[in-house]
Amino acid sequence: MAERDLAVLLRTMQPQLFPEPYGIGVCPGGALPFACFATVAETEGLTVVAPLADVQAAGIASDRWARISLTVHSDLAAVGLTAALAEALGRAGISCNVIAGFHHDHLFVPWDQREAALHALSELSHV
């Protein structure tokens, strides 16, 4: 069952760092030659989120991003989770892009700051 209580969400979020870097970029059009983790249709084009190797092989420019997924089943109507995550990471000087799936939240942080992000999230879960 999806969790709404912020204290429970923070205590049980168990961030999972994925080992490979991800890319976030704009697809120039046409069929995608790879499977995406997520897409966002914007007026300017289709934003794709996928493993960096796939993004680069398709000729799409991207920085290196780390994917951290929270294993807790968060309710889409839960209040305060994204704000708490942003505050903790912001205090550590780490930018974060969040994609909320139906079951879990997925954070994308700069690749070089992935360990610091895990540390900040770990401290947040012990508050």
Side-chain angles (χ1 to χ4, degrees):
M1 178 164 208
E3 183 60 57
R4 285 189 180 189
D5 184 282
L6 180 59
V8 173
L9 286 167
L10 294 175
R11 188 175 63 249
T12 62
M13 63 182 174
Q14 298 179 334
Q16 175 189 13
L17 175 65
F18 284 71
E20 73 277 354
Y22 274 69
I24 302 172
V26 178
C27 181
L32 293 172
F34 55 87
C36 292
F37 170 74
T39 60
V40 179
E42 299 179 290
T43 303
E44 299 85 357
L46 183 67
T47 297
V48 296
V49 181
L52 183 62
D54 294 337
V55 170
Q56 289 178 332
I60 300 170
S62 176
D63 291 330
R64 293 165 54 99
W65 295 92
R67 174 182 165 194
I68 300 173
S69 294
L70 306 182
T71 59
V72 64
H73 183 176
S74 55
D75 193 305
L76 288 170
V79 175
L81 179 59
T82 302
L85 300 170
E87 183 178 346
L89 293 170
R91 278 194 309 267
I94 302 170
S95 68
C96 180
N97 296 281
V98 179
I99 297 176
F102 185 81
H103 292 102
H104 306 287
D105 293 284
H106 309 274
L107 316 175
F108 291 86
V109 300
W111 181 256
D112 294 340
Q113 294 180 303
R114 64 193 183 280
E115 295 298 333
L118 278 178
H119 179 73
L121 295 171
S122 175
E123 285 187 345
L124 183 61
S125 70
H126 291 92
V127 173

